[in-house]
Amino acid sequence: MKFFVMYAETCVEEYAAPGADIFELERGCLNSEFQFLDQSPLDVEISDEGGVDFPDFIVEGTIPLISEGIKRIFEKLKIDYIFYKLIRLTYAQLGRSENYWLALPPRINCLDTSKSVIEVEDNPFILPSELIREAKKICIAENLIGRYDIFKLAGVVNQEIIVTEKLKNALAAGNFENLFFYELEG
């Protein structure tokens, strides 16, 4: 089975960028800690740093936002394990508002540790379980993903959103703006 990293370009000047209010979601999104998030809608003014085009996929730091179109694909494929929160991005000066969804996938333990390369922080002053671990080469153990078609990696600090080939193909067929993929080496 092939796996892909799903990503968005973040340095496109024409694309709208969420303002500072979006960062109230950062703690919950960093490690997929759903207990720090609620499902009440959030209104966020667009940052002056961005443009006025609203692409289908926006990633602001650790916060992934998807359009209604991408969400429909997830629903069609019965992806029911993502945490959703309605985010209304507004640009008051132009009187524009677009609905997005925080779409936060769970973190799962699925790294093939015999094939992945994991760098571990060297710090003798903290417990081994508290050391920062980062996967420099990601290899997924297929038998550990279960029914998940989209997820993040547990046990490491990596922020990659990983999708199966099935989901990648469904999303690619939708021709969504600012939604890109690269294949993980097996």
Side-chain angles (χ1 to χ4, degrees):
M1 180 182 290
K2 294 180 182 179
F3 295 94
F4 297 81
V5 171
M6 181 173 106
Y7 69 98
E9 294 292 340
T10 57
C11 297
V12 180
E13 292 179 13
E14 295 81 28
Y15 290 158
D21 290 342
I22 199 74
F23 291 108
E24 76 177 57
L25 305 173
E26 191 169 42
R27 181 177 184 184
C29 291
L30 180 64
N31 293 311
S32 295
E33 294 176 311
F34 303 127
Q35 71 270 27
F36 297 116
L37 300 168
D38 64 42
Q39 292 183 316
S40 59
L42 178 64
D43 292 306
V44 177
E45 185 72 24
I46 295 299
S47 167
D48 293 337
E49 304 294 317
V52 295
D53 290 347
F54 291 88
D56 290 291
F57 190 42
I58 298 172
V59 177
E60 187 63 42
T62 61
I63 304 166
L65 303 177
I66 62 171
S67 67
E68 295 277 348
I70 293 175
K71 186 173 187 277
R72 279 193 295 276
I73 298 284
F74 289 173
E75 290 168 347
K76 181 179 177 184
L77 294 175
K78 298 187 183 343
I79 295 174
D80 59 359
Y81 41 84
I82 290 182
F83 178 88
Y84 290 112
K85 178 181 181 81
L86 179 64
I87 309 293
R88 287 186 289 263
L89 296 182
T90 58
Y91 192 45
Q93 291 175 326
L94 293 179
R96 287 190 64 191
S97 179
E98 293 285 331
N99 286 340
Y100 280 85
W101 293 91
L102 167 65
L104 189 59
R107 286 186 177 265
I108 61 173
N109 285 309
C110 62
L111 274 174
D112 182 333
T113 54
S114 67
K115 294 180 184 174
S116 296
V117 176
I118 301 170
E119 189 175 277
V120 181
E121 171 187 34
D122 183 24
N123 186 338
F125 301 105
I126 61 175
L127 296 171
S129 63
E130 296 173 346
L131 293 172
I132 295 173
R133 299 164 38 94
E134 182 179 2
K136 294 296 188 176
K137 178 183 177 192
I138 298 169
C139 291
I140 305 298
E142 285 181 47
N143 63 322
L144 296 178
I145 66 162
R147 65 184 183 93
Y148 283 12
D149 285 306
I150 182 170
F151 52 88
K152 287 184 165 189
L153 301 171
V156 291
V157 296
N158 297 59
Q159 292 299 316
E160 290 90 348
I161 297 173
I162 300 171
V163 299
T164 60
E165 186 173 21
K166 171 185 154 186
L167 179 55
K168 180 248 183 203
N169 290 340
L171 290 168
N175 294 315
F176 294 111
E177 186 175 2
N178 201 34
L179 179 62
F180 303 98
F181 304 91
Y182 67 84
E183 187 174 349
L184 290 174
E185 295 178 24

